[in-house]
């Protein structure tokens, strides 16, 4: 064998009890598992290298079901933010906005629209236009060596609408709808695992349910899933969840609810209502999963909180409206009095918004500060050309804990790596689950939690040989110390790496060894299979 982990405590991803075993790896796959106390005559495996795993848990690699590393994987071969957490696969193309499929116009527009998530990308050679071209680019990154961790991709519905319709707030024509159908189908044929939406982000939010249903029918034909950031996590949250459940049912499409939580004061303590809604749909036969991150604040771009009418026409039109005093006053009124749809129907509370990053270094003094009102927000939006990212301190711990216990829950960091002071979830989500919510609070057992982070997301992605510690499966593995694993990232030091995760393997190769990131680039694009 290539490698044996000796005397590991195997937490295999099924949710069943852990067991002590030797786990042998050969040719990038799990070749043998010999449990302690195996029948006489069953020899312990030998290998060219043996690692003493006494005191360590061995689990499948963690799958980040909601990641924003679309450019980071191309930009940074180290990508320690995720590799050090034990993440072996990320799902990109989230919230309806990413970089394929595009034409030249759409690419320029989407780069401007999500600068706050990924930077503008001046250091990236955007030499692709299709989903397949982007996945090929990942595979050929860093001189053909590949990427730090594996990556799957969702066709972003907002980008598709930008491509076919533009930034207009109106229903698509039949010709435009057919164009969107073709773009979604082509993306799925080229390897995307499903389709995402960002229904509080322009222009995706301009799509009516009938249009989304038609696109989801295409997704269902390819056995993919629909991943919506739905229309409200605030005042209309339960209605928005029900809307997505109904839409997916009508389309016959599997549904995965992105960063599924209940935020803002109107939803304190209301997670049981959401879970009852989900249970009713699941019991009726719906195919639904969800992901969350184990933190209370959210993170997005500052421009996202504006009302949808202010976003019509694209980034340059938004800036023109902000510069016009009369229109800017209308925007303020919608934000502070009416409750902007971009801010989930809730009047904005400026002191809950903390600046996490700016694109213009001249504005870095604002990083880490809470906003003191609309004049400052307006100045930032204009001066930073909409590139400002923010934390929104609007979540509730009791909701976070209740939702993570649910039978269809998975883990997703929603990690935005841009900015001087990003949300710590980008560097800490997975060890925080294991350290804070398993060891410290007992919200989940270790076996349950690992299943949420491994086998359950692998099943959603239709991966036939990942997500379990099982003979024949790909050796994407994590070894961690259950007694010490913890997130190092905090709000004051958000880029701190975790502790207690000494080894991470992708395809049987060490990407983290003895707690240090190696120079191995074992990641590749993971493409849809039926």
């Amino acid at each position: 064998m290539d490698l044996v982990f000796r005397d590991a405590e195997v937490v295999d991803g099924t949710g069943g009890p852990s067991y002590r075993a030797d786990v042998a790896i050969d040719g990038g796959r799990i070749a043998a598992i010999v449990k302690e106390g195996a029948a006489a005559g069953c020899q312990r495996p030998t290998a060219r290298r043996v690692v003493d795993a006494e005191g360590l848990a061995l689990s499948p690699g963690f799958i980040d079901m909601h990641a924003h590393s679309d450019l980071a994987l191309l930009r940074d071969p180290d990508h320690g933010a995720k590799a050090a957490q034990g993440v072996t696969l990320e799902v990109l193309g989230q919230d309806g906005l990413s970089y394929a499929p595009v034409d030249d116009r759409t690419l320029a527009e989407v780069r401007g629209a999500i600068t706050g998530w990924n930077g503008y990308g001046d250091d990236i050679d955007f030499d692709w236009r299709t989903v397949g071209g982007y996945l090929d680019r990942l595979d050929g990154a860093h001189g053909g060596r590949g990427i730090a961790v594996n990556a799957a991709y969702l066709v972003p519905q907002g980008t598709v609408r930008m491509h076919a319709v533009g930034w207009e707030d109106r229903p698509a024509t039949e010709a435009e709808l057919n164009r969107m159908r073709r773009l979604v189908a082509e993306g799925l044929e080229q390897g995307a695992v499903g389709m995402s939406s960002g229904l509080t982000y322009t222009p995706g939010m301009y799509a009516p349910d009938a249009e989304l249903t038609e696109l989801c029918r295409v997704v269902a034909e390819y056995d993919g899933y629909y991943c919506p950031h739905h229309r409200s996590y605030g005042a209309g949250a339960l209605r928005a969840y029900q809307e997505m459940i109904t839409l997916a049912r009508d389309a016959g499409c599997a549904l995965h609810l992105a960063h599924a939580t209940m935020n803002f004061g109107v939803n304190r303590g209301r997670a049981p209502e959401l879970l009852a809604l989900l249970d009713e749909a699941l019991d009726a036969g719906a195919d639904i999963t969800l992901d969350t991150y184990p933190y209370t604040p959210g993170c997005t771009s500052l421009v996202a909180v504006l009302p949808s009418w202010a976003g019509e026409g694209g980034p340059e039109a938004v800036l023109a409206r902000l510069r016009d005093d009369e229109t800017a006053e209308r925007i303020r009124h919608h934000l502070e009095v009416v409750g902007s749809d971009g801010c989930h129907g809730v009047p904005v509370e400026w002191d809950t918004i903390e600046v996490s990053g700016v694109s213009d270094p001249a504005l870095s003094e604002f990083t880490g500060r809470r906003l003191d009102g609309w004049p400052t927000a307006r100045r930032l939006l204009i001066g930073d050309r909409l590139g400002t990212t923010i934390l929104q301190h609007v979540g509730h711990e009791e909701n976070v804990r209740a939702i993570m216990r649910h039978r269809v829950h998975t883990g997703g960091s929603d990690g935005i790596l841009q900015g001087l002071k990003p949300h710590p979830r980008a560097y800490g989500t997975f060890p925080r689950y294991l350290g804070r919510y398993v060891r410290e609070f007992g919200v989940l057992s270790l076996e349950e939690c690992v299943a949420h982070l491994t086998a359950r997301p692998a099943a959603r992605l239709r991966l036939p040989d990942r997500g379990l510690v099982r003979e024949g499966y790909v050796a994407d593995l994590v070894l961690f110390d259950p007694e010490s694993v913890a997130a190092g990232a905090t709000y004051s030091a958000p880029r701190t790496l975790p502790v207690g995760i000494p080894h991470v393997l992708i395809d049987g190769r060490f990407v983290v060894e003895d707690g240090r990131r190696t120079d191995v680039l074992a990641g590749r694009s993971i493409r849809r299979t039926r």
Side-chain angles (χ1 to χ4, degrees):
M1 301 292 180
D2 293 332
L3 173 68
V4 169
F5 289 107
R6 187 79 76 204
D7 294 322
E9 189 67 24
V10 177
V11 187
D12 65 6
T14 64
S18 64
Y19 56 88
R20 190 178 174 93
D22 295 346
V23 178
I25 297 164
D26 198 57
R29 290 185 177 267
I30 300 169
I33 302 172
V34 179
K35 295 184 180 180
E36 184 180 58
C42 184
Q43 293 185 334
R44 301 186 82 174
T46 59
R48 285 180 286 277
R49 179 177 178 187
V50 176
V51 174
D52 181 5
E54 177 78 32
L56 297 178
L58 186 151
S59 82
F62 305 137
I63 298 176
D64 189 341
M65 287 296 288
H66 193 105
H68 288 285
S69 304
D70 307 49
L71 298 186
L73 281 167
L74 297 174
R75 178 182 287 130
D76 178 15
D78 183 79
H79 201 46
K82 296 302 178 66
Q85 291 186 62
V87 171
T88 57
L89 170 60
E90 298 184 274
V91 184
L92 313 176
Q94 299 288 350
D95 295 327
L97 291 166
S98 190
Y99 305 95
V102 293
D103 55 17
D104 290 350
R105 172 189 61 82
T106 308
L107 176 61
E109 291 174 346
V110 77
R111 287 174 68 183
I114 54 176
T115 296
W117 295 358
N118 300 301
Y120 189 69
D122 289 328
D123 54 340
I124 302 294
D125 179 9
F126 289 91
D127 57 355
W128 69 85
R129 294 295 180 269
T130 65
V131 169
Y134 174 68
L135 296 176
D136 288 344
R137 182 76 161 79
L138 292 174
D139 289 337
H142 308 298
R145 295 170 59 211
I147 48 180
V149 304
N150 295 314
Y153 189 77
L154 296 163
V155 179
Q157 170 262 330
T159 301
V160 166
R161 197 172 211 273
M162 199 185 305
H163 196 309
V165 181
W167 292 80
E168 298 177 46
D169 184 1
R170 61 170 177 81
T173 66
E174 188 61 29
E176 290 166 340
L177 182 56
N178 286 334
R179 175 63 175 151
M180 287 190 280
R181 288 191 188 102
R182 287 196 300 273
L183 288 169
V184 172
E186 288 167 2
L188 291 160
E189 287 169 0
Q190 292 164 13
V193 295
M195 181 181 76
S196 73
S197 285
L199 299 179
T200 64
Y201 300 134
T202 56
M205 68 192 303
Y206 298 145
D209 284 0
E211 179 180 308
L212 296 170
T213 301
E214 288 302 308
L215 298 183
C216 283
R217 289 195 171 105
V218 176
V219 175
E221 289 173 9
Y222 288 87
D223 200 25
Y225 68 92
Y226 180 44
C227 179
H229 161 131
H230 45 275
R231 298 192 192 274
S232 176
Y233 291 82
L238 289 174
R239 183 171 63 253
Y241 280 113
Q242 182 61 67
E243 176 190 12
M244 294 297 101
I245 292 169
T246 301
L247 189 156
R249 181 197 64 206
D250 292 347
C253 186
L255 178 66
H256 180 85
L257 298 164
H259 37 61
T261 189
M262 301 282 286
N263 289 336
F264 301 92
V266 295
N267 289 317
R268 184 181 295 276
R270 297 188 68 188
E273 297 175 60
L274 166 61
L275 301 181
L277 187 69
L278 293 175
D279 285 335
E280 181 180 4
L282 289 163
D283 292 345
D287 182 358
I288 302 174
T289 49
L290 59 87
D291 66 68
T292 69
Y293 46 85
Y295 297 86
T296 52
C299 179
T300 188
S301 54
L302 180 57
V303 66
V305 306
L306 301 185
S308 57
W309 59 262
E312 190 170 8
E316 292 304 321
V318 176
L319 288 167
R321 292 186 181 101
L322 289 166
R323 292 186 185 108
D324 179 76
D325 289 343
E326 183 176 343
T327 309
E329 175 56 25
R330 284 183 60 210
I331 293 172
R332 183 206 63 78
H333 181 76
H334 272 81
L335 284 168
E336 296 182 351
V337 180
V338 176
S340 160
D341 50 2
C343 199
H344 308 278
V346 177
V348 69
E349 297 176 359
W350 293 113
D351 62 353
T352 66
I353 296 179
E354 177 185 356
V355 177
S356 60
V358 293
S359 295
D360 184 350
L363 298 168
S364 60
E365 65 182 278
F366 290 96
T367 302
R369 285 169 48 179
R370 301 286 182 113
L371 293 182
D372 56 8
W374 170 241
T376 301
R378 181 187 179 194
R379 175 188 167 191
L380 266 175
L381 286 163
I382 295 171
D384 209 23
R385 294 191 58 81
L386 314 182
T388 304
T389 52
I390 58 171
L391 303 184
Q392 283 186 283
H393 295 268
V394 293
H396 308 289
E397 180 69 15
E398 66 270 34
N399 287 348
V400 170
R401 295 190 188 195
I403 294 168
M404 73 170 64
R405 292 189 186 101
H406 196 265
R407 54 179 160 151
V408 298
H409 170 266
T410 69
S413 71
D414 197 8
I416 294 174
L417 300 167
Q418 192 70 11
L420 291 175
K421 195 172 178 287
H423 196 305
R425 67 193 185 191
Y427 284 73
T429 287
F430 295 88
R432 184 174 169 93
Y433 268 119
L434 298 168
R436 183 176 176 87
Y437 289 96
V438 171
R439 186 179 64 247
E440 295 180 19
F441 295 149
V443 175
L444 295 168
S445 72
L446 180 62
E447 291 86 353
E448 286 175 316
C449 186
V450 167
H452 288 211
L453 306 181
T454 60
R456 194 175 291 171
R460 164 54 70 221
L461 295 168
R462 308 283 197 258
L463 302 178
D465 56 0
R466 297 174 194 267
L468 293 171
V469 179
R470 181 170 290 175
E471 291 180 0
Y473 273 51
V474 175
D476 291 354
L477 300 169
V478 182
L479 283 95
F480 61 92
D481 181 353
E483 299 303 316
S484 67
V485 62
T490 64
Y491 293 101
S492 59
R495 296 186 187 276
T496 307
L497 296 179
V499 297
I501 305 178
H503 303 301
V504 181
L505 290 85
I506 295 177
D507 197 29
R509 302 163 65 193
F510 283 93
V511 297
V512 174
E513 186 172 11
D514 296 324
R516 296 177 180 272
R517 177 73 172 93
T518 71
D519 61 0
V520 169
L521 295 175
R524 296 293 183 270
S525 65
I526 303 297
R527 309 195 188 206
R528 181 193 58 84
T529 58
R530 286 188 178 274

